Amino acid sequence: MEGRAVPRPRRTEPARRAATRTVLPGVDGVGTVRKTTLPGGLRIVTETLPSVRSATFGIWAHVGSRDETPSLNGATHYLEHLLFKGTRTRSALDISAPIDAVGGEMNAFTAKEYTCYYARVLDSDLPLAIDIVCDMLTGSAIRAEDVEAERNVVLEEIAMTEDDPGDCVHDLFAQTLLGDTPLGRPVLGTVETVNGLTRDRIARFYKKHYDPTRLVVAAAGNIDHASVVRQVRRVFEQAGALTREDAVPAAPRAGSQKIRAGGRVELLERRTEQAHVVLGMPGIDRHDERRWALSVLSTALGGGMSSRLFQEIREKRGLAYSVYSYTSGFADCGLFGVYAGCRPGQVQDVLKLCRNELEQIAAHGLTDDEVRRAVGQLSGSTVLGLEDTGALMHRIGKSELCWGEQLSVDDMLARIGSVTPDDVRAVARDVLGQRPSLAVIGPLGDKQAGRLADAVS
C-alpha cells in the first residue's frame, strides 16, 4: 500500500518591486525626470524643480473620443464630468472644497486620444492633491442620479460650443476630412448621443479604460519622486486598482484612420456677424520626424504678427481680425489648417489669399530669413510655455502617454534648430501641395455658397 502523498508547502511568489529609473538627469537635481513602473503597469513620471513652491499632479488616461463607437460618442467627456461627482468615500463637495481651501486649482480635459485630470497646489499640499485625484480615478461611484444631473450640464456645454462658431468650425473641418469616423466626430458628442448614454454604459466604459496599463501619473514642481510613488501606490492599492487581473493593455492605434480625398466643402449656415473658415488638408502623424519642420512652416505661415497670412490678410488689407495656421497630429494621421474669421462679403477674397500663400510655399518653400525667424519664434515660445509646473506636468505626462519617451528642453530646441530651408521645402511640397478641403460657418447666401468650390478646385 502506497503512503499518502504529503502536500508540499505552497511556494509564494516574491513581491514584485516597482522599477525606477532616471529618464533625464537634469542639472544639479533641477529638471530631473524620473519614471517608476508599478507591478500593475501604472507608470509614474515626475520632474523636480526645487526652486518653486508649487506642484502640479495629473493622471493621464489613454482614452479619448476616438475610442468610442457611434452610439457612445461623447462618453469619454461625459465620464470626465462624472469623476468629479463623487467616489465611494467622497462627495462632489468633498472633492472640490479641500482644494479650494488651500488655494489650489483642479480641472480636467478630454481630447480625441486622451483625457487628463490634474490639480495645482502649493508643494506642501501635494499629498492632498494626490489623494483626491487618485481617489477620483480609482473610486468613482458613477451614481445613477449623478449621471442624470450631469447630463444637463454636458448638454449645456454642447450648446455653449455651438454658440461659438470660431470653435465649432474646427469640428466641422475635422468632419470634412475624416468623415463619420471616431476621429471625425466631436469630442463632446451630440445632443442625441449624450441623451442616449445610460449609467450602465458609462460604467462599463469606465471599467474598461481606467485600468493601470492605460494610465500615466505625472507630477512636476518642488517634489520628491519616491514620496509621490509611495503616495500614489498607497491610494491605488487601497482601491484594489493595482491587482486587477482583467486589465487589458492599451492597443496601438496606428494604421486605422483614413483621410478623405481633398476638394470637399462643408457649409453650416448660421446667422452670425462673421463667416468662419478653415481651409486645409491632411497633415502628418505625431510620430513623423517631419513634425519639427512642419511646425516651423506653420509658424512662418500663420503663427504670429510677422507671419505671411497675418501680414497679407490683416496688416496689408484689413480683411480679417483673426487669421492663423495650425497642425494637429494624431497616432496615425494629422491635419493642417488655416483659419480666418471675416465678414461674409470678404470670404472669397480671404480664401483666395490663403490659397495663394499655400500654393506659393508648396512650390517654393520659405526664404532663409523666414525659416530663421520661425525657428527663433518657435524656440522661444517652447521655452516660455514651460515656465510653470502645470506646463511641465503636461509635457512629461503627454510625452510618456503618446511617445513613450521624454525629450529635454535642450533636445527639443536642438530638433527645432536643426530644421533647414530644404526640410521646410520638402514638407511644404508634401503637405501643402495636396488639394485642400474647406469648412465654413456663417450667413452665406446660395450664390456665395455656390462659389466656395472655387477655393478648393
Side-chain angles (χ1 to χ4, degrees):
M1 180 177 177
E2 295 184 352
R4 188 172 58 183
V6 178
R8 296 180 179 179
R10 188 175 182 180
R11 296 181 61 184
T12 59
E13 292 290 334
R16 290 184 295 170
R17 295 182 178 180
T20 300
R21 64 188 180 94
T22 298
V23 180
L24 297 173
V27 179
D28 296 328
V30 178
T32 300
V33 177
R34 293 185 176 89
K35 174 183 174 180
T36 292
T37 302
L38 297 183
L42 181 68
R43 291 165 285 172
I44 304 171
V45 291
T46 68
E47 182 164 358
T48 305
L49 276 80
S51 61
V52 301
R53 287 299 312 276
S54 68
T56 301
F57 177 83
I59 300 183
W60 294 71
H62 191 264
V63 57
S65 58
R66 78 170 299 175
D67 299 293
E68 302 163 349
T69 61
S71 63
L72 279 173
N73 185 212
T76 312
H77 173 254
Y78 203 153
L79 180 58
E80 175 213 310
H81 279 241
L82 291 172
L83 263 58
F84 284 87
K85 298 296 286 183
T87 70
R88 290 184 288 268
T89 59
R90 285 182 170 92
S91 66
L93 184 60
D94 292 333
I95 289 173
S96 60
I99 298 294
D100 287 344
V102 297
E105 56 178 297
M106 184 166 58
N107 212 332
F109 59 86
T110 303
K112 289 184 182 291
E113 295 188 314
Y114 48 78
T115 312
C116 178
Y117 305 80
Y118 63 92
R120 183 167 180 250
V121 294
L122 294 177
D123 51 8
S124 57
D125 296 313
L126 180 60
L128 173 69
I130 292 175
D131 193 46
I132 290 177
V133 177
C134 288
D135 187 29
M136 288 170 54
L137 270 287
T138 61
S140 179
I142 312 185
R143 301 179 183 91
E145 58 268 28
D146 292 333
V147 172
E148 293 309 313
E150 201 64 20
R151 191 186 309 277
N152 289 330
V153 177
V154 174
L155 292 174
E156 288 295 335
E157 188 173 353
I158 292 175
M160 180 178 67
T161 301
E162 291 180 346
D163 280 343
D164 183 356
D167 188 17
C168 198
V169 71
H170 295 290
D171 281 343
L172 184 63
F173 177 63
Q175 178 186 329
T176 304
L177 263 66
L178 300 168
D180 185 23
T181 66
L183 272 182
R185 300 182 196 115
V187 171
L188 300 184
T190 66
V191 172
E192 291 74 22
T193 59
V194 168
N195 276 326
L197 292 172
T198 65
R199 186 268 170 196
D200 289 343
R201 298 187 75 192
I202 295 173
R204 286 196 298 269
F205 193 82
Y206 169 58
K207 183 179 180 181
K208 176 181 179 181
H209 292 285
Y210 281 72
D211 65 66
T213 63
R214 294 167 177 256
L215 301 178
V216 169
V217 172
N222 187 19
I223 61 175
D224 175 71
H225 178 81
S227 295
V228 172
V229 172
R230 283 195 300 271
Q231 294 170 59
V232 170
R233 185 168 192 167
R234 175 181 56 80
V235 179
F236 271 72
E237 284 180 340
Q238 289 176 347
L242 292 182
T243 57
R244 283 187 51 182
E245 297 179 355
D246 59 342
V248 179
R253 305 182 189 276
S256 61
Q257 180 64 57
K258 303 297 182 182
I259 296 187
R260 303 164 86 182
R264 295 179 178 272
V265 178
E266 292 288 346
L267 171 62
L268 185 59
E269 187 74 21
R270 289 278 181 85
R271 299 187 64 179
T272 56
E273 293 298 319
Q274 280 190 316
H276 300 265
V277 303
V278 175
L279 180 70
M281 59 279 294
I284 58 179
D285 67 64
R286 63 167 176 256
H287 302 288
D288 196 317
E289 282 302 312
R290 296 176 298 164
R291 67 186 185 274
W292 306 100
L294 187 62
S295 293
V296 170
L297 168 60
S298 182
T299 300
L301 175 64
M305 295 176 65
S306 63
S307 67
R308 285 199 184 189
L309 291 174
F310 193 95
Q311 287 294 312
E312 289 296 324
I313 293 175
R314 175 167 165 168
E315 288 296 316
K316 292 182 180 179
R317 296 173 175 83
L319 293 176
Y321 175 78
S322 179
V323 55
Y324 58 85
S325 60
Y326 66 96
T327 66
S328 297
F330 306 110
D332 48 7
C333 67
L335 304 178
F336 185 93
V338 171
Y339 164 85
C342 61
R343 284 181 289 174
Q346 296 174 336
V347 167
Q348 301 297 335
D349 291 337
V350 168
L351 287 175
K352 182 178 179 180
L353 289 168
C354 290
R355 183 71 187 270
N356 286 343
E357 290 300 330
L358 294 175
E359 290 176 347
Q360 284 293 318
I361 296 176
H364 307 293
L366 301 173
T367 67
D368 291 359
D369 285 343
E370 285 178 310
V371 172
R372 280 194 293 269
R373 188 168 63 242
V375 165
Q377 181 182 344
L378 191 58
S379 299
S381 62
T382 298
V383 174
L384 293 177
L386 295 173
E387 289 291 300
D388 67 78
T389 61
L392 293 173
M393 184 283 295
H394 187 281
R395 176 174 67 91
I396 63 175
K398 184 178 178 180
S399 293
E400 177 62 34
L401 193 76
C402 294
W403 287 277
E405 65 175 357
Q406 300 288 336
L407 291 179
S408 68
V409 174
D410 288 341
D411 289 335
M412 289 190 289
L413 294 180
R415 301 281 183 95
I416 296 169
S418 67
V419 173
T420 67
D422 285 342
D423 295 332
V424 174
R425 274 190 285 273
V427 77
R429 183 172 57 250
D430 293 343
V431 175
L432 304 189
Q434 302 173 95
R435 187 180 181 187
S437 290
L438 175 67
V440 184
I441 296 179
L444 303 180
D446 292 340
K447 182 177 179 181
Q448 194 173 10
R451 295 171 56 198
L452 291 177
D454 296 339
V456 297
S457 60

